[in-house]
Amino acid sequence: MGHQILKTSRLKKLLDRAMPIILSLGVFLAVATVAGLIIDVVSSGWHRLSPGLLTNYASANPAEAGLRSAFLGTIYTVGLSAIICIPLSIATALYLTEFSGTGRLSSILRYNIANLAGVPSIIFGVVGLGFLVYGLGMGRSIIAGAFTLAILTLPLVTVTCIEAINTVPDDLRLGAYALGATKLQVAAHVLLPRALPMMLTGGILGISRAIGEAAPILVISGLLFIREDPVSLFDIFTVMPLQLFNWISRPQMAFRELASAGIIVLLLLLLGLNAAAIVLRHRLTRRLT
Amino acid sequence: MIAETVARSIRRRRQQNKIFTFLFMSSAMVATVTLVIIYATLIYESIGFFQHVNVFEFLTGVKWTPLFEEKNFGVLPIFNATLITSAIAIALAAPAGLASAIFLSEYASMNVRSVVKPVIETLAGIPTVVYGYFALYFLTPEFLRQIIPGLGIHNALATGLMIGVLILPIVASISDDALLAVPADLRFGAYALGARKIDVVMRIAVPAALSGIAASIILAFARAMGETMIAAIAGGFRPVLTSDVRQAMETMTAYIAQVATGDAPHGTVEYQSLFAVGLFLLIITALLNFVGLRVVKRWAIKY
């Protein structure tokens, strides 16, 4: 009997010791995937990196093919979507935190933001196609893509903006009200200046998400072969992840390498944006305090 | 004179306040209005679709051949593929994500945590075309094919595993939050009774956080069902009703992508089928999200 207890307790002791190692396998899987992905992409794509990758148009010849129209398409579409999404998110966050109170309407609106976040991204594409492209007659245009991406990133950016406002100390808000400030004055002079750095970080988060989205844009723009710069918001377009999808789907080795090089560019762009977000946040916070 | 100026200024301020309240409220309504538009558009076009295709046939048919001469619209093959790839994904993401969450919240030091957590979150920020590329050009040929003979170039297994990596951060971060919300008192109580760390973690912390963990898995599953680019790149465009994960199979999302890469003229049955499949997918994911959010909410008030 005593022997038995001793034995199970020894086993348990061993398991107790081993636990962090077993658990860290989950973490290892994540780290290994990121590392493997980067090594694979860089090793097969780095020798294809050249300025031509960004300045050349799409081509059936992998040696001449580049991301130019896709890169410009991404900048136009995502840029416009950010211009729509960020102010909308800030306004929404201000309303839900400061203006609406905690009534029924506010909780319904909040609930629907969570619901919108759960809608699969390709559904945004399908609805964008039915409603914006054909319903409202926007055509398969940059503006249809931008609106779709703006709505797609809206929940993410809004949630960050709400969190940003919640970090502003209550004392400051209440102090301002005590001095007779209106809600608008509190929003403009107390909340916004302090919450803005974090809100902009949220905006950049949304932009990164929008840059990587291929599925909804695929449905809206189709898989196009474009050899022109976009000049108007009603032009047809393609974006970087879609161009990569196109290259990945081709069987030739040369296109695979081209896709790897394109992925390096895309990941560097996202990395740069995230670094910018950190720097921006740091700078703005320092200036305000 | 001064009183008049002050009164005017107050009036102006009130007016401004009203205008902006209205503007902000309209902005806050956008998400709700969008949801209405999403359902309305999908239902409207689906009604057109179901005038050509019997609803019963759609839901129970085992043949999906919309792009052939003889068109069949039985959703089961593509629905089955979605379920299988998502199940593989969750089979990877649930244990790995949960292990990461337990490791981060219970074992890792602040320093380790501040390095590891961003790395895990990075997984969610990588564009999904990149994962598709990785599954097609690395996971399948360099890794899985060495272990599993007869694995197709496009296959459900690699698709599912890759989606699993994508949703791992969802499981990890929601479970992590749930574990952190478990009050320290419960743990200290167990330690005071002489419990080992493993017992405190597995018998106190994890059960106390169970609803949050369950929610993380449900929400991650919904996300897996909606994933498109990985399925389109690594899963292939072959709508067959099979349980053989070594084969290519087309998910619902991959079908939508396939129709989008081709050209389905506006108003045709193929075009309308996008909306019927979309509506079907949305209803399922919405139900999952509803359950998931409910569970999160219940857990949130508990302590």
Side-chain angles (χ1 to χ4, degrees), chain B residues 15 73 190 226 236:
Chain B
Q15 216 164 26
F73 290 96

Side-chain angles (χ1 to χ4, degrees), chain B residues 106-247:
Chain B
E106 308 289 327
Y107 288 92
S109 67
M110 262 338 238
N111 283 333
V112 172
R113 192 183 157 85
S114 67
V115 175
V116 169
K117 208 170 151 81
V119 172
I120 293 178
E121 269 154 17
T122 304
L123 287 176
I126 293 174
T128 54
V129 274
V130 179
Y131 282 120
Y133 167 94
F134 194 60
L136 183 65
Y137 286 120
F138 183 82
L139 191 61
T140 298
E142 311 284 335
F143 189 69
L144 292 175
R145 269 200 165 169
Q146 316 295 331
I147 316 167
I148 304 160
L151 193 68
I153 297 171
H154 296 96
N155 62 79
L157 183 63
T159 307
L161 291 176
M162 219 60 239
I163 297 176
V165 172
L166 174 77
I167 61 173
L168 192 154
I170 300 177
V171 178
S173 86
I174 301 178
S175 298
D176 185 35
D177 288 345
L179 285 165
L180 288 178
V182 175
D185 297 2
L186 289 181
R187 294 191 180 91
F188 294 151
Y191 280 128
L193 291 170
R196 282 182 197 286
K197 179 142 194 168
I198 187 172
D199 288 323
V200 174
V201 171
M202 289 304 177
R203 295 191 186 179
I204 307 286
V206 171
L210 204 59
S211 52
I213 292 168
S216 79
I217 291 171
I218 296 169
L219 294 174
F221 192 80
R223 176 76 180 79
M225 289 187 78
E227 173 43 38
T228 306
M229 297 319 287
I230 300 176
I233 293 169
F237 293 143
R238 208 169 128 261
V240 283
L241 187 58
T242 171
S243 58
D244 185 355
V245 297
R246 294 173 305 174
Q247 286 188 31

Side-chain angles (χ1 to χ4, degrees), chain A residues 46-56 261 265:
Chain A
W46 71 271
H47 66 277
R48 288 302 310 266
L49 284 176
S50 69
L53 190 64
L54 276 181
T55 55
N56 289 354
V265 174

